[in-house]
Amino acid sequence: MLFHSSWLLLLLLTSVTAAGKEVAKPVATGAAKAMTLTESQLTAKWFTRQTGLLVEFHGASGQKLHEDLKEVFGTVTQELEGKVKVGSADVRDFPGLVKLFGLQESKMPSLYLFRKGEVIRKWEPVGSFVQTGSELGQGQVKLATADDVVEWVEEHLSKAEKKEKKQEKKVKKSAGKSELLE
């Protein structure tokens, strides 16, 4: 049984291909699994079908913050399971993502919330500097907590869904008016 479990874990952690295309591969981050995303996945049809996708972009700068966020991100992944897909992309491996999404290396790690391939909200950088003394530079970096991130995702995804429904109603209403005119 141990061999079977090890084989299954290895299979989950290895890049999977389907019909010659890369598929998002889960990687262990904290308590849950997030996807490691590639540039080809973030430009594919799969990406435009996601009703909720949270992506952490990271690169050479902010690497310490990225490492510190791994546990937080694992908890976020677990709490949002079934509602929002969660993934991570390293711009060192996929430099085209910087131009594609207008990322700024100085603002990493960054969280981007997507709905149907569109950015609905950015949180960049994820940490913030908190002044603790009267002298310039006295303070520390405060990381976002899992609760902060989950609340942020749920709030902005809800707003995007409401906006989308309102837009759909508007389209239906104008379609109905044009039918009456004919």
Side-chain angles (χ1 to χ4, degrees):
M1 187 65 178
L2 179 63
F3 175 76
H4 178 71
S5 298
S6 299
W7 176 251
L8 182 59
L9 180 61
L10 180 63
L11 181 63
L12 287 173
L13 296 176
T14 305
S15 181
V16 179
T17 58
K21 294 187 178 180
E22 282 188 63
V23 177
K25 59 182 177 178
V27 293
T29 55
K33 292 179 175 78
M35 297 178 287
T36 298
L37 299 167
T38 66
E39 188 172 349
S40 62
Q41 292 162 328
L42 293 172
T43 56
K45 198 176 234 182
W46 168 87
F47 176 59
T48 62
R49 292 182 185 145
Q50 303 308 307
T51 56
L53 177 65
L54 176 65
V55 179
E56 181 230 3
F57 292 102
H58 59 95
S61 70
Q63 194 58 29
K64 169 78 170 93
L65 284 174
H66 165 69
E67 292 298 321
D68 293 345
L69 274 172
K70 280 186 176 180
E71 189 174 324
V72 169
F73 213 56
T75 304
V76 168
T77 303
Q78 190 174 27
E79 288 186 31
L80 293 175
E81 190 172 0
K83 299 180 217 169
V84 175
K85 289 187 173 141
V86 180
S88 179
D90 191 335
V91 298
R92 293 173 295 182
D93 297 333
F94 307 103
L97 293 174
V98 172
K99 187 175 180 181
L100 183 65
F101 296 113
L103 301 169
Q104 294 180 19
E105 191 73 29
S106 63
K107 293 184 176 181
M108 289 192 191
S110 299
L111 294 180
Y112 277 45
L113 183 59
F114 295 93
R115 181 171 173 79
K116 298 180 182 175
E118 299 292 323
V119 176
I120 59 172
R121 197 69 177 177
K122 302 175 189 179
W123 187 349
E124 51 188 10
V126 180
S128 59
F129 186 78
V130 178
Q131 184 87 19
T132 57
S134 58
E135 297 292 317
L136 184 62
Q138 286 183 326
Q140 61 188 15
V141 173
K142 179 192 178 291
L143 277 179
T145 65
D147 289 340
D148 294 337
V149 176
V150 169
E151 183 180 316
W152 178 81
V153 167
E154 289 175 341
E155 174 188 344
H156 294 292
L157 199 55
S158 174
K159 285 180 182 179
E161 289 169 350
K162 287 177 185 175
K163 185 177 178 180
E164 193 175 284
K165 285 180 183 177
K166 188 175 181 180
Q167 194 69 9
E168 287 173 0
K169 282 183 181 179
K170 202 180 232 185
V171 168
K172 285 181 183 178
K173 190 174 182 180
S174 66
K177 285 182 181 179
S178 64
E179 285 177 10
L180 290 175
L181 294 174
E182 292 176 3

